[in-house]
Amino acid sequence: FGSPTDDNARLLAADGQTFLRFVPGAHWNGTVTDGLTFRAWDATSGTAGDTADTSTPGGTSAFSTNMASASVTVMPVNDAPVGANKTVTVLEDATYTFAATDFGFSDPNDTVPHTLINVRITSLPTAGSLTLSGSTVAVNQFISVANINAGNLKFAPATNANGAQYASFGFRMQDGGGTANGGVDLDTTSRIMTVDVTSVNDAPDGSSVAVTTSEDTPYVFSLGDFGFSDTFDTPPDTLLNVKIASLPINGNLQLDGVAVTAGQIVSAAAIGNGKLAFAPVANANVNNYASFTFQAQDSGGTDNGGVDLDPTPHTVTIHVTSVNDAPTGSDITLVIQEDTSHTFSRADFGFSDLRDLAALPAHQMLAVRIDTLPVFGSLTLDGQLVASGQFISVADIDALMMVFTPAANADGPGYASLR
């Protein structure tokens, strides 16, 4: 078609087969005022499709004196809006409330951009829940921008769940331009909203336990004695410390030989190295002898509102098993007449078992061991000489079988002794 001018005009036949086509620029709309000027041609000279000089019209020329013009109006047609992929972040066990800006709305191809009116959800997250005003969102549901601005569109991860790219859902933007004249008001591409869930430390657990030690023997604690677990963190944290919440009334709880105080933090490293021990009072023994309470602390920290300390104190109960303590005898001096004998009774040995007073039933005298024999006289059991180191049962003593006899006609203070 070229670029016609008045002295180089394009001749067009008025035969119903010749058309003039106007193509506006991409996405343009509006009016081209006087965009086309023309004169009437009676076809008495020139050929359709050729060019001619029309700058001297009228008279006998083939061109009209008057020039006319035509304006072209291009009606607006809505172009599809555009959304953008987005990643948002929420804390574990918290809820993310979406804003309209999260969806990256733009309308770049409309001269006067339209506004966002809806977000269409094209796919749902496979983890967690996407809700509108508390109700689960459905696939292809339209969510108004008014609802979004009101804070009604929310995502909640499952309890205790966390992780990068934890969940995602698809969406398309819808603008207010409508679909008249073949317009498109819905983004032609489904965009992706990704949700990262930041881990928040959950409180660990301990568990109440009972341990047993022997009388007069310290109990050395191990990490396993505190029943640590971290069920709600993935991956689980490790035991960092044990907080001693209350102390035993009986006995002594010590860290590396120093008495522990209520509220003291004892490191897992110290426990693992055998530094935390409980010592019962000397000669004490009984079930449920002592107890103290503790709280486990894990290594997860307290960032973002995390909890690293078990909120519930648990109890360590200590049983102390009885161990027989040595009995005691007492020195005694006996006076007998020359050429007579002394028959021993159990009372002669001054038996006592004061360190086992708590024993039930109480311990009784069982036997006497002769450690050294008298130098003078004779010590016999049922008429037989006793040997050094021999045990003589209390039954034999009660039966009057243990007898000391001095030599004939012998006498004197400190005459003889035995142990």
Side-chain angles (χ1 to χ4, degrees), residues 1 10-22 36:
F1 190 81
R10 180 70 63 183
L11 300 179
L12 302 176
D15 56 7
Q17 301 298 316
T18 303
F19 299 93
L20 200 59
R21 184 182 179 211
F22 175 79
L36 185 68

Side-chain angles (χ1 to χ4, degrees), residues 108-123:
N109 296 323
D110 283 319
T111 303
V112 179
H114 299 115
T115 57
L116 173 66
I117 61 168
N118 290 308
V119 173
R120 179 183 177 185
I121 305 301
T122 58
S123 65

Side-chain angles (χ1 to χ4, degrees), residues 216-230:
D216 298 329
T217 304
Y219 183 85
V220 178
F221 289 96
S222 68
L223 294 175
D225 289 328
F226 298 93
F228 174 81
S229 64
D230 194 26

